[in-house]
Amino acid sequence: MAQHIPTTKRHVLKPAQQQRFLAEITSIGGGDVPTQVVGWSRKGKWTRLKATYPNGWELTVNFDRAEKVSSYSSKLSLRASLRLSNQVADTRAASDGDDGA
């Protein structure tokens, strides 16, 4: 049985060179240069492009066989840090032994 050889190639692209093209598609990057842009090609034609922005957005662009944008999607990833205090508030009611009756 012959082994399947993938024909899709992954390319790491220069974010500054892709900024204008990505900004024409959508403004989710807020004008910032992406921190990372990765593209995939098959048979010498672009199939997909993925850009990550410093503001937490991630843009995925899909291309048709004529290398025109067929669709795009975006997602936002927010990360927050939580700082818990060492002091824990006592939520139990103070009781004097009287049940109020």
Side-chain angles (χ1 to χ4, degrees):
M1 179 185 260
Q3 182 178 359
H4 172 72
I5 300 172
T7 58
T8 302
K9 294 181 182 177
R10 182 179 185 269
H11 309 271
V12 177
L13 305 171
K14 294 182 180 178
Q17 292 178 347
Q18 302 301 317
Q19 179 184 9
R20 179 182 283 170
F21 169 73
L22 295 169
E24 289 175 4
I25 296 171
T26 182
S27 62
I28 65 165
D32 291 339
V33 175
T35 54
Q36 181 182 28
V37 179
V38 179
W40 289 266
S41 67
R42 185 179 308 124
K43 297 181 181 178
K45 294 187 177 188
W46 292 108
T47 59
R48 187 169 43 128
L49 196 72
K50 187 177 204 178
T52 306
Y53 289 91
N55 61 2
W57 282 99
E58 183 177 279
L59 175 65
T60 302
V61 181
N62 297 302
F63 300 96
D64 62 12
R65 291 183 182 189
E67 292 187 288
K68 293 183 182 178
V69 175
S70 62
S71 66
Y72 69 89
S73 64
S74 58
K75 72 178 184 177
L76 178 61
S77 176
L78 298 176
R79 295 182 185 190
S81 63
L82 221 46
R83 188 181 313 170
L84 299 176
S85 174
N86 288 339
Q87 298 174 344
V88 178
D90 188 23
T91 57
R92 293 177 287 170
S95 174
D96 60 0
D98 186 6
D99 64 356

